[in-house]
Amino acid sequence: MFNVKVVRAVVAVLALGVLGMVGTAQQPTNPADVASALVAYYKIGNRPTSITVAEIDQRIAYFPDFGEGTLEALKKAAPIETVSKLVNLKNSRGRNLLSQKQIILLLTFYNLKP
């Protein structure tokens, strides 16, 4: 009646199609997928020239070692367009807000003026 190989092939194609539709509806939760999305956004020619509130909410909030206090202080200072403004940010006690590691990370992903 039906060729068994043909039926199996059709079932396999339909199953892959259904799994593909389910997989695309979800946000990436795998750290490798998130990292790939960040790398694709921050190509060398596509680095933003300022740190805005939108950038902080959409991207910097997901960087490691950036706490809520740091994010709020960055938002208050936004837009940050120069390296000197970024380096000179202070917390409520007058201490530097960002560590060298955090500054280097931000300078890697943003093309700020000196």
Side-chain angles (χ1 to χ4, degrees), residues 85-96:
K85 185 174 181 179
L86 181 69
V87 171
N88 291 327
L89 289 176
K90 307 288 184 196
N91 66 12
S92 61
R93 295 180 182 161
R95 301 177 79 186
N96 287 343

Side-chain angles (χ1 to χ4, degrees), residues 3 6-8 12 15 19 21 24 27 32-33 37-38 40 45 47 56 62 67 75 79 91 105:
N3 187 344
V6 172
V7 172
R8 285 184 184 166
L19 288 176
M21 287 188 294
T24 58
Q27 293 292 328
D33 293 340
L38 281 173
R47 293 187 307 161
I56 294 166
Y62 298 102
K75 287 179 187 178
N91 66 12
L105 180 66

Side-chain angles (χ1 to χ4, degrees), residues 3-74:
N3 187 344
V4 175
K5 289 182 181 179
V6 172
V7 172
R8 285 184 184 166
V10 170
V11 170
V13 169
L14 290 174
L16 286 175
V18 169
L19 288 176
M21 287 188 294
V22 170
T24 58
Q26 298 174 352
Q27 293 292 328
T29 56
N30 183 355
D33 293 340
V34 173
S36 295
L38 281 173
V39 168
Y41 179 79
Y42 289 108
K43 291 180 184 174
I44 294 299
N46 192 31
R47 293 187 307 161
T49 57
S50 69
I51 300 173
T52 62
V53 174
E55 287 288 326
I56 294 166
D57 289 335
Q58 294 173 1
R59 291 173 189 85
I60 296 174
Y62 298 102
F63 288 173
D65 301 330
F66 282 83
E68 286 297 320
T70 303
L71 295 174
E72 289 302 318
L74 284 170

